[in-house]
Amino acid sequence: MRRGGKIGFWAAAAFGAACLAPPAYAERLVTSVSTHRVLITSNFTGTELVLFGSIDGAPADTQIGAYDVVVSVRGPARSFVTRRKERILGLWVNTDSREFAQVPTYLAVMSNKPVAEIGPPEMLRRYGIGLVNNVLPPPAGNDAPEVPPEDSFRGAFLRVKTNEGAYTADPKAVTFLTPRFFRAGVPIPGTAQTGDYQVETLLIAKGAVLAQQQTAIEVVKTGFEAVVAQEARNHRFFYGLGTALLALMTGLIATLLFRYD
Amino acid sequence: MPIYLPIAELPVNIFLILGLGVAIGFISGMFGIGGGFLMTPLLILLGIPPAVAVASVPGYMAASSFSGTFTYWRKRLVDLGLGFVLLSGAILGTASGVWFFAFLRRAGQLDLFIALAYIVLLTAVGALMMTESVRAILRTWRGMPPILRRPGTHAWFHGLPFKLRFRQSRIYVSAIPITVIGFAAGFIGAVMGVGGGFLLVPALIYLMRVPTTVSVATSLFLTLLTMLVATVLHAVENRTVDAVLALVLMVGGVFGAQFGARAGQAIRAEQLRLLLGLIIIAVGVRVAADLISAPVEPFSVVPKEIWE
């Protein structure tokens, strides 16, 4: 009897909690990346990882399209300077510049539809969804327009980075295999910097974030590439001396091979 | 076949880099120049970060100038005394150039300065070589004897103190103008990321009246020494020497240089100078066109250096 009463109590409590909180909070997100370590070898030209995700606790009658998913991959942070050229005396000269402090060297925002359709601008800004919201997000409570007109530098920075291939926004990269199961391809370009890459997955419905998952992948050099990079960093003088000797040896070998006088 | 460059941190096609080494090596073997003024901009064009390109090209230049130096050394054409006086000026010039490079980079006007320096120097040296060689070619066509060494005219700098006798070069001049020439070559080399040989050789021939072969031999010897030192300095100071990139360039370069040297011997000297003048002017015009025409993307993004 006592036991039954306890179960009844917990059931009542759970029911009450479910009534008080928005019902959407019942969903949980489970994600898995195909590998957590990207190894850079001498023939590395970039690779693609696959992220699989499952939505737990979704209602039984869920249709595809009920949920939106945004996967953001952020590479190691670094500061960049953006300069603008202007015509002075007939020559194109750097005039103005802006610094972008500690922004990702690599950024990929993958979603199942364009991020602008996923939620209101304020919510996108708060959760750092979309390329523009990952670079110098305006301070909280700032009711300035989405991209202030004087902020042409931010637009240019994103444009240059996108053309370089360092930043990508793909509104079709997340595909739902079933209403509760999705996959996303995460491209890692050959120019990727080594370091930790944060992978953040957001589950969204009707413009509200329901669940969030964080995981990390590590991009490391391995084998010969790692040895060369380590020597260049740790034994600078001997590395330089070694390269100089390499030059002398190459020159000597070629001279002996081609000696014809 | 792609190969990953460990310091530049990007994959490149090994045959493309090897081919670039062969092509520039051919030109440098043919004309007796280092070829840095062609190699550095081409590598940057291929997407290699400028800091890595500028630091890795000296290793390639040391390798490709080695066989030339070796050959001239055996023929006793290298003027060691002249070389070391030039070197003392070049070391001072390189140090000042590295400092000036950092100053311009902080001011954000490095691109502009390098472009202007390329335009002024390349078009001036190229035009000088072209007019001189065209005149020589015209003289040969008309059947006139080529002008040999001009009589020993005395310029103002012959009155300066600290006179030294350089036996192989057959000159007796003050150490001051030679140090200044070395300084200028070192300074411009460090700022522009080139060897400075394309300035040193004309300066020695036209200003100091050093015989052409001794000028070329001594300039190559100086290039070898300064480029070896530059490789070590860049490795210690900037940590941007990519040994894999340098090695691929070296292997291509030394082979290209051997074939270039043979091709160079098959062409008359004044025609060779005309060709080199054309190449130098073409690079200068290309740089000028970039500076004058409206850029497709007026914005540029560079990583902020940690030490700034």
Side-chain angles (χ1 to χ4, degrees):
Chain A
M1 242 359 247
R2 271 188 66 166
R3 194 179 168 83
K6 198 166 187 180
I7 290 171
F9 169 77
W10 283 115
F15 180 74
C19 286
L20 287 172
Y25 274 88
E27 285 89 345
R28 287 199 310 122
L29 197 53
V30 180
T31 61
S32 171
V33 191
S34 54
T35 176
H36 286 275
R37 264 167 89 89
V38 175
L39 299 176
I40 294 184
T41 52
S42 53
N43 57 1
F44 179 77
T45 56
T47 183
E48 193 182 71
L49 308 182
V50 184
L51 179 137
F52 285 104
S54 164
I55 303 161
D56 277 7
D61 59 343
T62 306
Q63 300 289 307
I64 286 184
Y67 296 106
D68 294 321
V69 168
V70 179
V71 180
S72 306
V73 183
R74 302 180 180 96
R78 190 164 182 189
S79 297
F80 290 93
V81 179
T82 300
R83 297 203 174 95
R84 178 167 55 196
K85 278 194 170 71
E86 270 173 49
R87 194 170 195 152
I88 293 175
L89 301 171
L91 302 178
W92 287 87
V93 180
N94 285 332
T95 48
D96 244 347
S97 70
R98 291 280 187 291
E99 189 190 323
F100 291 86
Q102 297 301 308
V103 292
T105 50
Y106 170 79
L107 180 61
V109 179
M110 288 148 299
S111 48
N112 57 321
K113 61 181 177 192
V115 287
E117 297 170 17
I118 283 175
E122 203 279 321
M123 169 267 193
L124 296 179
R125 203 154 46 223
R126 180 143 46 97
Y127 287 97
I129 299 173
L131 295 185
V132 77
N133 291 319
N134 275 284
V135 174
L136 284 194
N142 187 349
D143 51 3
E146 177 71 333
V147 178
E150 80 274 7
D151 201 12
S152 58
F153 277 94
R154 181 156 68 151
F157 176 80
L158 295 173
R159 194 169 61 236
V160 170
K161 283 281 162 202
T162 305
N163 288 340
E164 280 176 7
Y167 284 18
T168 49
D170 190 344
K172 287 189 189 127
V174 175
T175 45
F176 279 89
L177 306 171
T178 73
R180 274 170 277 182
F181 191 60
F182 60 87
R183 78 184 286 280
V186 182
I188 301 290
T191 51
Q193 293 235 328
T194 52
D196 287 333
Y197 286 60
Q198 297 300 324
V199 182
E200 184 194 53
T201 311
L202 294 173
L203 179 69
I204 300 160
K206 299 186 188 74
V209 173
L210 308 180
Q212 191 171 353
Q213 261 291 321
Q214 288 267 5
T215 182
I217 42 180
E218 193 188 7
V219 177
V220 286
K221 289 173 195 161
T222 182
F224 176 70
E225 317 307 306
V227 171
V228 172
Q230 268 165 25
E231 290 306 305
R233 200 171 48 243
N234 300 339
H235 305 107
R236 304 186 214 172
F237 179 72
F238 291 104
Y239 175 82
L241 211 61
T243 312
L245 281 177
L246 208 61
L248 287 178
M249 289 305 296
T250 315
L252 184 67
I253 290 168
T255 310
L256 296 180
L257 275 180
F258 282 87
R259 219 162 120 182
Y260 59 99
D261 55 342
Chain B
M1 195 179 93
I3 180 173
Y4 187 84
L5 303 177
I7 307 298
E9 299 197 322
L10 51 89
V12 290
N13 187 329
I14 189 168
F15 296 116
L16 187 67
I17 300 291
L18 206 60
L20 192 66
V22 172
I24 308 289
F26 187 86
I27 292 172
S28 68
M30 192 161 168
F31 302 111
I33 55 168
F37 76 96
L38 293 170
M39 185 62 95
T40 308
L42 281 174
L43 285 178
I44 294 170
L45 209 67
L46 286 180
I48 311 283
V52 176
V54 168
S56 307
V57 166
Y60 152 80
M61 286 174 61
S64 66
S65 58
F66 180 88
S67 54
T69 310
F70 190 81
T71 311
Y72 285 120
W73 183 274
R74 278 164 33 116
K75 291 179 182 164
R76 294 171 204 285
L77 285 167
V78 177
D79 192 326
L80 269 185
L82 185 67
F84 282 112
V85 176
L86 283 169
L87 186 65
S88 63
I91 287 170
L92 281 175
T94 307
S96 324
V98 168
W99 174 82
F100 192 59
F101 188 87
F103 166 76
L104 286 172
R105 188 156 61 178
R106 273 195 297 277
Q109 296 303 346
L110 185 66
D111 299 351
L112 174 71
F113 182 84
I114 289 181
L116 285 177
Y118 262 94
I119 293 168
V120 171
L121 281 172
L122 295 181
T123 47
V125 173
L128 204 78
M129 293 186 70
M130 276 178 67
T131 47
E132 184 270 335
S133 55
V134 165
R135 265 188 209 150
I137 290 170
L138 286 178
R139 283 183 73 85
T140 340
W141 271 356
R142 290 177 191 145
M144 283 188 269
I147 298 174
L148 294 172
R149 204 174 168 200
R150 273 179 270 178
T153 45
H154 277 243
W156 58 271
F157 55 77
H158 283 99
L160 291 170
F162 310 114
K163 283 202 150 188
L164 293 170
R165 188 173 297 283
F166 300 104
R167 295 202 177 278
Q168 276 103 330
S169 307
R170 285 178 277 153
I171 53 168
Y172 178 60
V173 286
S174 159
I176 295 170
I178 294 176
T179 317
V180 168
I181 289 174
F183 181 90
F187 184 85
I188 289 161
V191 173
M192 292 170 64
V194 298
F198 76 102
L199 288 171
L200 202 56
V201 174
L204 289 180
I205 296 174
Y206 296 116
L207 295 178
M208 293 290 117
R209 306 254 187 275
V210 176
T212 306
T213 46
V214 179
S215 297
V216 172
T218 309
S219 164
L220 267 175
F221 172 68
L222 197 71
T223 305
L224 176 63
L225 288 186
T226 51
M227 290 300 110
L228 288 176
V229 172
T231 301
V232 178
L233 278 181
H234 275 302
V236 172
E237 282 296 312
N238 298 328
R239 283 178 269 178
T240 51
V241 177
D242 198 310
V244 175
L245 174 65
L247 181 64
V248 176
L249 288 174
M250 282 173 203
V251 171
V254 291
F255 283 95
Q258 296 291 335
F259 293 114
R262 286 179 207 187
Q265 283 162 3
I267 304 178
R268 297 180 63 91
E270 58 267 25
Q271 289 170 344
L272 207 60
R273 288 203 298 272
L274 176 64
L275 261 177
L276 180 58
L278 276 173
I279 292 175
I280 291 177
I281 281 204
V283 176
V285 168
R286 176 73 181 48
V287 177
D290 278 351
L291 204 56
I292 292 165
S293 60
V296 182
E297 173 62 79
F299 290 88
S300 59
V301 175
V302 289
K304 188 175 191 264
E305 308 294 345
I306 341 148
W307 55 82
E308 269 175 26

